[in-house]
Amino acid sequence: MKNIKNDLINEEIHDYLNPEYVYIPIQSGYELVAKENGKVLKEEVILTKGNSNIYSPISGTIVGQTDSVLLNNKKVKSLVIKNDYKESVKKNTGAVRYISDYSKKELISLIKEYQASSVDLSTDAKRLIINGIDKDPFEKTRSYIIDSYSDKILETIDALIDVLDIKETIFAINCNDTDNVINLSSHIGTYPNIKLKLMPDMYPIGFKSILLKNILSKKQISEGVLVIQVEDLLNIYTVLKRKKPILEKLVTISGNAIDKSMVVRTKIGVSMVDLIKHVCNIKNDDYFVVINGLISGVTLEDLNNLITPNVRSIFLNTLDKQKEVECINCGLCTLQCPLHLNPKYIKEHSKANKSACIHCGLCTYICPSRINFKPYLGGSNEE
Amino acid sequence: MKNNVYVRSHRSIKNISLVRIGLLVPLIIYGFYKNGIYLFVNKYATVLGMFKPLLFIIIGGLIGAIINLFYEFVIKKNRSKLIDLLFSSFHIEYGMLLGCVTSLNTNILLFSVTTFALLFISKFIRKRVNVMAIVFIIIYVLQMYLFKEYSFANNYETSRAFSLDFMDYMVGRGTGGIASTHIILLIVSMLGISVSNNNKSYITISSIVTAILLFGAYSIVSKNTLGALLLTNNILFVYTYIATDYITSSYTATGGVIFGILVGVLTFGFYFINPILSPFIAVAVVSLFNRLIDKIANRLNKSYV
């Protein structure tokens, strides 16, 4: 589906890096390292489980525990850290000069230790695809990441090529993302191993499986391919260059219930209520909170959820109240389905094969009869 | 909550109908010039007669609008916006398309009453048969029964003898109502609705290809030219606008191709019984089986089941 327009204004990235409180969910198996009511420094380990650590995104005081905030709609006990606004760091580790000097083992271990990416880099794949296309047409997160950190991203890709012995690397971006096309085209000459691929402005090309289908042949995919999102590359850069945990991220904030849309740089662990309150005004109280895309995203119970590393966007949007009418048999759902499924058939036949569905929501979005296919489709979301 | 919908495309029955009708405007204007203004200037028609080509389209559209309004407002007690009520179904488009395919020599009262009655009845009938094809067939039969003639030629064309070749049909010198008077403009409209995704192009393409093959073969063994066989009697218009009626045609691509091929074959078959009615009968017959065709297409596509 081409040209789904969004109403985001091209503005600078807004910062919300000094929240009054951050909340660190105490997930099962994790032990508390820091002392309650004690001081913590930024980047200090506060929870640990084996080799996996959770770090404090701010410096301040642990004021207690609460179960009033939600993590992905579930109540979890969280540590509450009150910010002292000093950003005091335990020790400055300094920066590594060349991130390509790491061995494969060191690189994988660092990425795992600091949870920079969930992509399995230990495979022997010889092809690397960088996904720089926003997953949802109403998101701008990836586009802003490339715009702001293109040098770091290209350096990281180059290092990964060396360390992982990658033979072919393709950097896929949206052809209508003009600023980034110009930006990357002027820098990519320094990196002859990276090919820039302009993909059509077509939803849902930002989905991993659809992107792969559009770039590689079935045979090439079966030979093994690594797909890394630009946000993961930025995390990998931070970890490799500075050996620091991932404490911040970019998030798109948009929707018809707020007064302005923007991309915000914020700390992980911030409550969405605090974030929204500080960066925009809610103009319609009849909203729902949706994360990671208006078309294919997940609805949260309320704004009392936390920003986690997986949150790319937050939308405060009202429901589409258009009435569903009888199917007009237009066949657009079938024609537009990126996986060539037949949503109308699936809706009418409970035993129909729907396992391949990636929940992109395009059939529901496109339907002129306003039929909601979502309840009938099985399969699993990529996320 | 998990299945909430927040955003939709702007595509709707209103949007689809307006694009389809809008792209017909050049053809309608040319049809009005050729069958109205030109006749009036050359004294083959009165001032009122000049507007007759447009009258069928306007009456057809009005009938569709009245039926939609009455059905939604009075019967279904729907109190939505007027524009939503008007475009609650494709009936405005149906009426206007019928105005395009109907011969200028048809009795206006007969056209109005038949169109109103059948389009109104179609609102209550769940049986999915192409209502435009049925209305046209009945208008034709009644016109023949009551007035003993049915011709697409206007007063000017009946007063002279023409020898037309392929290009004459293409650039608008052929006889015919608005629908098949200028093939190039029809092709432009066909491309427009296909590119804007407002047409089931697979039906149009497969039916045209089938008709070209069959009529092409027939033109070799007969004295008729392919142009005279294919570019007259509204065949292309029917394949573009009538056969592709959303409600009564196949919705899958494979089904659409089967649908189109069947329409092409039946048009050729019925051509020897009645050339004017042949594409309409073909569409009416095939539309009766559109669900069966989709069922077969879904079975052929193993990834669905």
Side-chain angles (χ1 to χ4, degrees):
Chain A
M1 175 73 197
K2 286 184 180 177
N3 300 326
I4 300 177
K5 286 179 188 163
N6 68 48
D7 59 351
L8 272 176
I9 313 145
N10 249 354
E11 283 183 13
E12 295 287 302
I13 296 173
H14 292 245
D15 280 335
Y16 181 60
L17 297 171
N18 276 317
E20 192 177 355
Y21 294 99
V22 292
Y23 304 86
I24 309 297
I26 307 169
Q27 291 172 50
S28 64
Y30 277 87
E31 278 177 42
L32 185 61
V33 178
K35 286 178 190 167
E36 263 193 63
N37 299 317
K39 294 256 180 204
V40 282
L41 299 172
K42 187 180 168 186
E43 296 164 17
E44 188 180 333
V45 177
I46 44 174
L47 292 166
T48 187
K49 180 186 173 186
N51 287 336
S52 169
N53 297 322
I54 293 175
Y55 303 85
S56 173
I58 53 170
S59 62
T61 314
I62 300 177
V63 292
Q65 295 185 11
T66 179
D67 53 7
S68 64
V69 288
L70 306 173
L71 179 69
N72 300 329
N73 269 346
K74 283 175 198 155
K75 274 197 172 179
V76 284
K77 200 160 245 183
S78 305
L79 277 181
V80 186
I81 306 174
K82 190 172 192 308
N83 200 346
D84 63 7
Y85 303 103
K86 289 179 184 163
E87 294 278 295
S88 315
V89 186
K90 194 176 178 184
K91 62 169 183 177
N92 204 333
T93 48
V96 173
R97 190 160 182 188
Y98 299 113
I99 57 172
S100 53
D101 286 346
Y102 288 105
S103 70
K104 186 172 177 177
K105 201 176 164 190
E106 285 171 331
L107 181 136
I108 293 169
S109 143
L110 271 176
I111 290 171
K112 201 174 172 189
E113 185 187 338
Y114 289 108
Q115 297 162 27
S117 171
S118 56
V119 179
D120 180 13
L121 298 175
S122 60
T123 59
D124 290 325
K126 297 295 171 208
R127 279 195 185 85
L128 173 63
I129 306 286
I130 309 301
N131 186 359
I133 302 167
D134 281 297
K135 205 167 176 183
D136 191 274
F138 299 89
E139 279 179 4
K140 278 269 189 178
T141 312
R142 285 180 189 160
S143 170
Y144 271 65
I145 289 175
I146 301 172
D147 191 42
S148 308
Y149 306 103
S150 60
D151 50 343
K152 292 174 182 169
I153 287 168
L154 289 171
E155 193 183 334
T156 314
I157 300 170
D158 198 45
L160 289 180
I161 293 171
D162 278 353
V163 178
L164 303 176
D165 193 23
I166 301 288
K167 300 289 178 216
E168 187 184 8
T169 304
I170 296 169
F171 194 157
I173 60 167
N174 188 326
C175 66
N176 281 349
D177 192 354
T178 327
D179 288 346
N180 283 327
V181 173
I182 296 167
N183 178 5
L184 287 175
S185 303
S186 59
H187 289 103
I188 213 154
T190 330
Y191 301 94
N193 295 330
I194 308 170
K195 284 183 207 159
L196 188 64
K197 177 107 179 156
L198 304 185
M199 303 306 293
D201 187 7
M202 189 182 80
Y203 181 75
I205 200 141
F207 281 62
K208 182 181 154 189
S209 50
I210 309 300
L211 183 70
L212 279 181
K213 267 188 175 183
N214 278 274
I215 295 179
L216 302 174
S217 66
K218 271 186 185 172
K219 193 180 166 231
Q220 287 172 322
I221 296 171
S222 67
E223 283 166 5
V225 54
L226 272 177
V227 182
I228 306 183
Q229 331 291 346
V230 284
E231 57 265 37
D232 283 357
L233 280 177
L234 188 62
N235 292 347
I236 292 172
Y237 177 87
T238 309
V239 165
L240 297 186
K241 191 81 178 176
R242 310 214 174 260
K243 290 191 183 171
K244 285 186 173 185
I246 312 304
L247 307 173
E248 295 169 6
K249 76 181 309 323
L250 292 189
V251 179
T252 300
I253 296 178
S254 186
N256 63 8
I258 54 173
D259 60 348
K260 57 185 175 187
S261 301
M262 67 189 78
V263 175
V264 180
R265 189 186 290 111
T266 183
K267 299 272 183 184
I268 290 167
V270 167
S271 157
M272 289 182 192
V273 182
D274 294 342
L275 176 63
I276 297 290
K277 201 167 66 185
H278 277 85
V279 296
C280 58
N281 295 313
I282 296 171
K283 58 179 185 180
N284 184 347
D285 288 331
D286 193 20
Y287 65 83
F288 281 82
V289 184
V290 194
I291 57 163
N292 295 347
L294 258 190
I295 301 181
S296 62
V298 178
T299 304
L300 298 180
E301 270 175 30
D302 56 41
L303 265 178
N304 212 17
N305 274 270
L306 297 178
I307 301 285
T308 65
N310 296 328
V311 175
R312 291 189 313 271
S313 56
I314 306 166
F315 296 91
L316 267 59
N317 218 81
T318 54
L319 273 184
D320 178 88
K321 286 175 182 163
Q322 295 179 77
K323 271 187 196 164
E324 184 173 318
V325 293
E326 197 186 348
C327 175
I328 58 165
N329 226 21
C330 66
L332 276 175
C333 52
T334 310
L335 200 69
Q336 299 280 348
C337 177
L339 289 157
H340 310 294
L341 296 175
N342 184 339
K344 179 175 156 70
Y345 183 84
I346 290 170
K347 180 177 177 274
E348 290 163 0
H349 300 82
S350 56
K351 285 181 183 171
N353 180 11
K354 50 199 168 186
S355 57
C357 178
I358 53 167
H359 291 264
C360 67
L362 188 55
C363 47
T364 301
Y365 175 82
I366 195 82
C367 180
S369 299
R370 313 296 179 222
I371 294 167
N372 183 0
F373 291 99
K374 288 182 181 179
Y376 307 98
L377 296 166
S380 60
N381 195 311
E382 276 184 1
E383 293 168 85
Chain B
M1 200 161 80
K2 187 179 145 198
N3 299 315
N4 281 354
V5 180
Y6 302 98
V7 60
R8 301 267 195 187
S9 72
H10 296 301
R11 203 172 279 271
S12 62
I13 293 175
K14 178 182 83 182
N15 192 291
I16 295 168
S17 293
L18 289 177
V19 172
R20 282 168 70 90
I21 298 291
L23 284 163
L24 265 184
V25 168
L27 193 68
I28 293 173
I29 291 171
Y30 182 79
F32 175 48
Y33 161 75
K34 183 175 174 265
N35 297 297
I37 297 169
Y38 188 79
L39 299 193
F40 173 70
V41 169
N42 290 291
K43 304 201 172 16
Y44 283 94
T46 60
V47 178
L48 206 66
M50 177 173 77
F51 289 100
K52 205 175 174 188
L54 287 185
L55 215 54
F56 283 109
I57 298 170
I58 293 166
I59 290 173
L62 278 176
I63 288 173
I66 291 166
I67 291 172
N68 275 351
L69 267 183
F70 181 79
Y71 182 78
E72 292 294 325
F73 195 81
V74 179
I75 298 176
K76 284 182 79 180
K77 311 253 183 261
N78 187 345
R79 296 292 179 265
S80 303
K81 283 184 204 159
L82 179 67
I83 192 86
D84 293 333
L85 300 183
L86 285 173
F87 287 98
S88 57
S89 75
F90 288 106
H91 278 60
I92 293 182
E93 185 189 321
Y94 291 168
M96 293 180 81
L97 293 180
L98 279 166
C100 289
V101 290
T102 303
S103 153
L104 301 173
N105 304 312
T106 307
N107 183 284
I108 289 181
L109 187 65
L110 171 73
F111 169 82
S112 310
V113 172
T114 315
T115 305
F116 183 85
L118 292 176
L119 287 188
F120 188 70
I121 292 168
S122 75
K123 277 285 200 184
F124 300 92
I125 296 175
R126 293 279 155 199
K127 191 81 185 166
R128 299 201 165 179
V129 59
N130 191 306
V131 66
M132 287 177 284
I134 297 291
V135 174
F136 183 87
I137 293 166
I138 291 177
I139 289 174
Y140 175 88
V141 170
L142 289 175
Q143 174 79 15
M144 284 297 280
Y145 179 74
L146 296 172
F147 303 98
K148 311 290 179 206
E149 66 157 351
Y150 197 96
S151 162
F152 284 112
N154 60 37
N155 289 346
Y156 172 72
E157 287 157 350
T158 46
S159 69
R160 293 169 186 229
F162 295 93
S163 171
L164 301 169
D165 64 18
F166 187 79
M167 278 316 289
D168 287 321
Y169 293 110
M170 295 299 282
V171 298
R173 290 197 202 107
T175 54
I178 285 177
S180 58
T181 196
H182 198 302
I183 303 301
I184 288 177
L185 288 179
L186 179 59
I187 291 171
V188 168
S189 140
M190 188 192 294
L191 290 175
I193 55 173
S194 299
V195 169
S196 61
N197 235 332
N198 286 296
N199 190 30
K200 293 180 177 176
S201 312
Y202 35 84
I203 294 180
T204 308
I205 294 166
S206 57
S207 53
I208 290 176
V209 169
T210 310
I212 288 174
L213 291 175
L214 294 173
F215 283 112
Y218 177 66
S219 69
I220 295 168
V221 297
S222 72
K223 286 177 185 172
N224 295 310
T225 62
L226 181 62
L229 291 168
L230 197 66
L231 306 181
T232 56
N233 298 319
N234 296 321
I235 290 180
L236 287 190
F237 188 89
V238 171
Y239 289 175
T240 310
Y241 276 94
I242 311 257
T244 57
D245 166 41
Y246 278 125
I247 310 278
T248 59
S249 57
S250 296
Y251 73 92
T252 56
T254 317
V257 172
I258 300 171
F259 189 98
I261 291 171
L262 288 174
V263 167
V265 170
L266 290 185
T267 305
F268 182 71
F270 287 118
Y271 183 84
F272 300 100
I273 300 167
N274 187 319
I276 293 175
L277 285 186
S278 62
F280 294 94
I281 299 176
V283 169
V285 171
V286 181
S287 69
L288 275 172
F289 301 101
N290 79 77
R291 287 184 175 186
L292 180 68
I293 293 167
D294 276 330
K295 212 172 172 181
I296 294 165
N298 283 329
R299 284 210 182 136
L300 289 174
N301 194 336
K302 290 202 171 72
S303 64
Y304 294 169
V305 269

